[in-house]
Amino acid sequence: MTYETSLATVVAGCPLSSCLYNASGPLCTTAAELDAVGSSEAGAILSKSATLEKRQGNPSPRYFETTWGSINSMGLPNEGYRYYLDYAKRAATFNKPYFISVSGLGFEDNVAIIRALSGQEHVSAIELNLSCPNVPGKPQTGYDFEQSRVLLEMIFEHVTTPLGVKLPPYFDLPHFEMMAAVLRDFPIAFVTCINSIGNGLVIDTDQESVVIKPKSGFGGIGGDFIKPTALANVRKFYTLLDKDVAIIGCGGIKSGMDVFEHILCGASAVQVGTQLMREGVGCFARIAAELREIMGGKGYRDIDSFKGKLKTLE
Ligand code: RRO
């Protein structure tokens, strides 16, 4: 008897037929882009982070690809949350979960958006972005533990739809503990680790210049270099939070082996960002095939067989 290798998983109580889907940001702003994710092998559809009103974002050039990844300072260009709510009915035709990312410009905006989204049909879950690095004058909430608590208290008064948070990368061990202590006090459905590493700088040495226009060239770093940081954040939150909180890995995923590593660290699902921008939605089928091959070779039939089972050295 032969068995299919399954990439199925569960996020926020929703079954996904594949543990791979898009990160909020690349190719998920317009209905046409969301349709493309829906028609692909992605296990879910996640929207671009939504604000109360439509935004143009920062001036271009605002995204730049390098051999090792990307830098961006998009500045939250999006169609406004009503657009992503309206899209929910169409998203349902793809028979996979539809998640809306929310990144209000202030706490009151976040509450207003989440109140409007909460309980709406076909919105499977909300990903609250605590970590946008690119809106001038707006600090990343996830780096302020007390403010994160205040915001979550405000949000959980109103939300009935499952809600998870997208965190910035942490680098200091006490910071993982401090954020975990906040998250433990709320019925968080999932935690996405990590957003881009904020405020890096990429330089064009021929031009002796920065490569993106906003914020004097400073922007969020994605791609290969951020994978070790992403894995560390996935691992830490997997070990610090209850096992019913799904950890979603994001950072440096471009191959099946990258996904395998994230799952070993404890990820229940993974999101693809920089590589999705580079390759388009075909990346989901390619990476899934690579992951199945790796799992087959190791005798794993499903992701629970190795999820979180990273070994440490004696
Ligand atoms: O739009 C952006 O500039 C942006 C956002 Br909201 C985010 O969460 N992460 C990122 O790298 N860019």
Side-chain angles (χ1 to χ4, degrees), residues 1-5 301:
M1 189 168 178
T2 56
Y3 294 91
E4 261 294 285
T5 305
R301 286 187 204 140

Side-chain angles (χ1 to χ4, degrees), residues 48 72-77 129 132-134 195-196:
K48 169 69 185 170
N72 88 84
S73 184
M74 305 301 289
L76 259 172
N129 186 354
C132 174
N134 295 329
N195 210 317
S196 57

Side-chain angles (χ1 to χ4, degrees), residues 40 52 60 75 115-116 127 152 160 163 169 181 190 210-211 219 222 231 240 260 272 282:
S40 77
L52 209 45
S60 295
R115 283 180 81 149
E127 185 179 87
L152 290 173
T160 52
L163 183 136
F190 61 90
V210 301
V211 295
L231 293 174
L240 288 170
F260 186 77
V272 186

